[in-house]
Amino acid sequence: MITMRRLLASLCLLMYCALAQAQVPHVAKVREFDDIIASGVLKVALYRDFPPYSFMVDGEARGVDVELAQQLADGLGLKVEVLWVTPDETLDDDLRNFIWRGHYLRPGIVADVMLRVPYDREFSYKQNELGELINELVVMFGPYQRERWQSAYDHRRLEEVSSVAVFQYHPVGVEVESVPSFYLASVLNGNIRKMLHHYPTTRDAFAAMQAGEVDATMGMRGEIDWLMSQANDRNLHLADNAYPNMGRQVWDLGMAVHESNRQLAYAIEGVLEGMLTDGSLERIYASYGMRYELPGLYQTE
């Protein structure tokens, strides 16, 4: 009986250990700088189906982030390999899946660098409930674009947008569960809420404005600029209004690498600074019909 109990106890212990081992998250191997150079390839994580930043056209990767990634790789004497990112619930999840741990759908594979990451000290040093850094395995660096919010409207149905107050009387389309959605639903004591129309993406909201379903839309300036360029419709105008009582209206976007790969970050920053100096990055944005604004780090008083 004692032998049988010991056998059962041993089996239970083995099962527990196997289960515990299976639950330990797999951490991908991060390539060191010398290994990246030796491979001849720079692996860059870019968001999937996110025009005008990164998207596919007839099987070819396009977008300002795609072209930036290609020029960064060229500057390091490398070819670029895109790892397409499908957004998870939070940016913290995206950094975990593509910079330091890897995604369960492709275990062991992470990018060397990820683009379109907020360059923000508060976000970089964000802590969990235990006071631990959430993104301690990530270095955020290389701000390359300043982004802000932008409204557009159809001049045939709306004479001008001098203030968001006009949206109390005109239907406005926004992306569902987006900052513009939350903002317009709450500002002016919620008086705009009844005029809000929600769509899956900013592109869909813009298309609804073109179709006459709504009179205006609001989204990130980069997206709105690109959509306006694509539409090429003189009846569609950009608004110059401000957004009172809104939180952060302007933010900088940069890149991220694993905290052990600072040498790669320094090398990329060197290439990026050259692109900022010679205007090549601004030209990339202009080719997509987008206004370019230097991040705060590079702006002079």
Side-chain angles (χ1 to χ4, degrees), residues 73 96 98 134 136 209 212 222 231 250 265 282 299:
R96 180 188 65 242
F98 290 91
I134 294 176
E136 64 175 347
M209 178 178 66
V250 177
E282 184 174 1
Q299 292 189 11

Side-chain angles (χ1 to χ4, degrees), residues 26-270:
H26 177 80
V27 178
K29 176 175 172 52
V30 177
R31 300 198 304 168
E32 297 180 357
F33 181 71
D34 290 343
D35 294 331
I36 294 171
I37 298 300
S39 74
V41 174
L42 181 68
K43 297 181 179 180
V44 183
L46 301 176
Y47 282 103
R48 184 189 303 273
D49 192 25
F50 192 22
Y53 310 107
S54 46
F55 57 108
M56 297 292 292
V57 176
D58 298 328
E60 180 181 354
R62 297 285 308 279
V64 292
D65 284 353
V66 171
E67 296 196 28
L68 170 58
Q70 290 171 339
Q71 291 207 23
L72 292 175
D74 288 343
L76 298 176
L78 305 172
K79 294 181 179 180
V80 67
E81 177 184 334
V82 175
L83 298 183
W84 291 109
V85 175
T86 299
D88 210 320
E89 292 185 4
T90 67
L91 177 58
D92 301 323
D93 295 330
D94 296 341
L95 292 170
R96 180 188 65 242
N97 291 338
F98 290 91
I99 290 297
W100 62 269
R101 193 181 78 180
H103 196 279
Y104 71 92
L105 290 178
R106 45 183 173 190
I109 299 177
V110 290
D112 301 318
V113 60
M114 182 172 175
L115 270 57
R116 200 143 295 274
V117 175
Y119 183 76
D120 179 80
R121 181 178 178 83
E122 183 178 341
F123 179 79
S124 297
Y125 291 96
K126 185 171 59 172
Q127 300 178 347
N128 61 20
E129 62 276 7
L130 300 177
E132 302 168 331
L133 290 177
I134 294 176
N135 293 304
E136 64 175 347
L137 295 178
V138 177
V139 172
M140 300 172 205
F141 72 102
Y144 63 89
Q145 179 203 349
R146 171 154 286 191
E147 185 64 274
R148 58 179 69 233
W149 300 110
Q150 176 70 57
S151 296
Y153 62 97
D154 191 322
H155 187 62
R156 291 168 297 188
R157 299 189 297 276
L158 184 54
E159 185 173 348
E160 65 175 352
V161 179
S162 57
S163 162
V164 294
V166 301
F167 295 149
Q168 298 176 94
Y169 316 105
H170 292 269
V172 54
V174 293
E175 181 176 345
V176 65
E177 295 185 353
S178 65
V179 171
S181 172
F182 296 135
Y183 170 70
L184 292 176
S186 60
V187 74
L188 298 177
N189 298 316
N191 289 336
I192 299 176
R193 187 182 299 116
K194 63 181 182 298
M195 303 303 290
L196 279 181
H197 293 238
H198 289 94
Y199 299 90
T201 67
T202 300
R203 281 170 284 161
D204 294 317
F206 191 91
M209 178 178 66
Q210 290 179 286
E213 296 176 17
V214 295
D215 296 348
T217 186
M218 178 180 172
M220 288 190 294
R221 183 173 69 177
E223 288 186 278
I224 297 297
D225 279 358
W226 180 72
L227 290 166
M228 290 285 288
S229 176
Q230 294 289 300
N232 192 26
D233 186 342
R234 64 182 183 180
N235 293 307
L236 304 182
H237 292 194
L238 292 172
D240 295 323
N241 61 287
Y243 300 99
N245 301 320
M246 192 180 195
R248 179 163 299 181
Q249 301 188 36
V250 177
W251 64 100
D252 292 339
L253 292 157
M255 314 177 201
V257 298
H258 192 275
E259 60 87 21
S260 66
N261 223 345
R262 295 175 186 268
Q263 188 176 359
L264 174 62
Y266 298 146
I268 288 176
E269 281 183 325

